[in-house]
Amino acid sequence: MNRADTMLLRFRLNGEARDLDVSAETRLSDLLRDGLGLTATKIACGIGRCGACTVLMNGRAVNSCLIMAWQLQDAEVITPEGVDAIAIAEFVKVGLAEENAFQCGYCAPGFVMALTALFIEQPAATETDIIAALEGNLCRCTGYHSIIRGALNASERLRAADLAAGPGDPHP
């Protein structure tokens, strides 16, 4: 790729400012995995149907395989490697682990990111809210009962910790 085919991309990744020369058509999932070595973001379908590549972009869960570099200018991106900086994510991880939510684990990062985004926006999410938030995430080996139980466990933990009082992550 010659210099004429690249753009200067400025964005924040896991809390750190990044300036990169990349092709405007580079998919975020490829940039993360191949360009930056952040492999917790998985690529499965590559067309936005499975959720394995879910990251947070400006606080919202997105399929990184559908986001192009030109869309990232001045964005804030949190990957599974950086999600521990969000206090709510710990509740999500513990809730899912206690319910043995996953078998192979390939889809787990995407589910964690989607649930973290949900609980940041809606800490007192109901089972209906959880199911709706996870519509874009597929698991091919566990089924969804244990994942839903894990998400409900996380929701209960958030309530018990009094973090469900309002929107947002109270402990950045």
Side-chain angles (χ1 to χ4, degrees), residues 12-84:
R12 293 188 64 75
L13 178 62
N14 296 330
E16 181 180 317
R18 293 292 187 125
D19 291 345
L20 303 172
D21 281 320
V22 298
S23 167
E25 290 84 30
T26 301
R27 296 183 314 168
L28 175 56
S29 56
D30 295 330
L31 176 65
L32 294 172
R33 292 182 59 80
D34 301 335
L36 299 171
L38 299 174
T39 58
T41 300
K42 305 301 183 204
I43 299 175
C45 73
I47 57 173
R49 292 190 177 162
C50 72
C53 68
T54 302
V55 299
L56 301 183
M57 181 174 159
N58 299 328
R60 301 186 56 90
V62 299
N63 292 321
S64 64
C65 70
L66 299 179
I67 303 296
M68 300 297 134
W70 63 267
Q71 296 172 289
L72 291 171
Q73 201 64 263
D74 301 318
E76 174 76 35
V77 175
I78 306 291
T79 68
E81 289 89 350
V83 77
D84 288 343

Side-chain angles (χ1 to χ4, degrees), residues 1 3 16 32 40 52-53 137 140 145 150-151 157:
M1 168 170 37
R3 183 90 170 119
E16 181 180 317
L32 294 172
C53 68
N137 292 78
R140 292 189 171 102
H145 296 291
R157 289 174 168 284

Side-chain angles (χ1 to χ4, degrees), residues 23-170:
S23 167
E25 290 84 30
T26 301
R27 296 183 314 168
L28 175 56
S29 56
D30 295 330
L31 176 65
L32 294 172
R33 292 182 59 80
D34 301 335
L36 299 171
L38 299 174
T39 58
T41 300
K42 305 301 183 204
I43 299 175
C45 73
I47 57 173
R49 292 190 177 162
C50 72
C53 68
T54 302
V55 299
L56 301 183
M57 181 174 159
N58 299 328
R60 301 186 56 90
V62 299
N63 292 321
S64 64
C65 70
L66 299 179
I67 303 296
M68 300 297 134
W70 63 267
Q71 296 172 289
L72 291 171
Q73 201 64 263
D74 301 318
E76 174 76 35
V77 175
I78 306 291
T79 68
E81 289 89 350
V83 77
D84 288 343
I86 301 171
I88 286 173
E90 182 60 26
F91 290 87
V92 171
K93 289 179 178 184
V94 169
L96 292 169
E98 282 190 355
E99 296 297 333
N100 297 309
F102 304 107
Q103 287 179 22
C104 82
Y106 196 84
C107 65
F111 276 95
V112 168
M113 299 307 287
L115 288 169
T116 298
L118 169 66
F119 290 130
I120 287 171
E121 185 175 313
Q122 195 175 348
T126 65
E127 183 172 358
T128 302
D129 300 323
I130 291 166
I131 291 168
L134 296 179
E135 285 179 347
N137 292 78
L138 299 178
C139 174
R140 292 189 171 102
C141 51
T142 305
Y144 298 92
H145 296 291
S146 59
I147 295 169
I148 301 301
R149 282 195 315 269
L152 290 169
N153 181 327
S155 182
E156 279 299 313
R157 289 174 168 284
L158 286 166
R159 269 194 282 286
D162 200 26
L163 297 179
D169 188 21

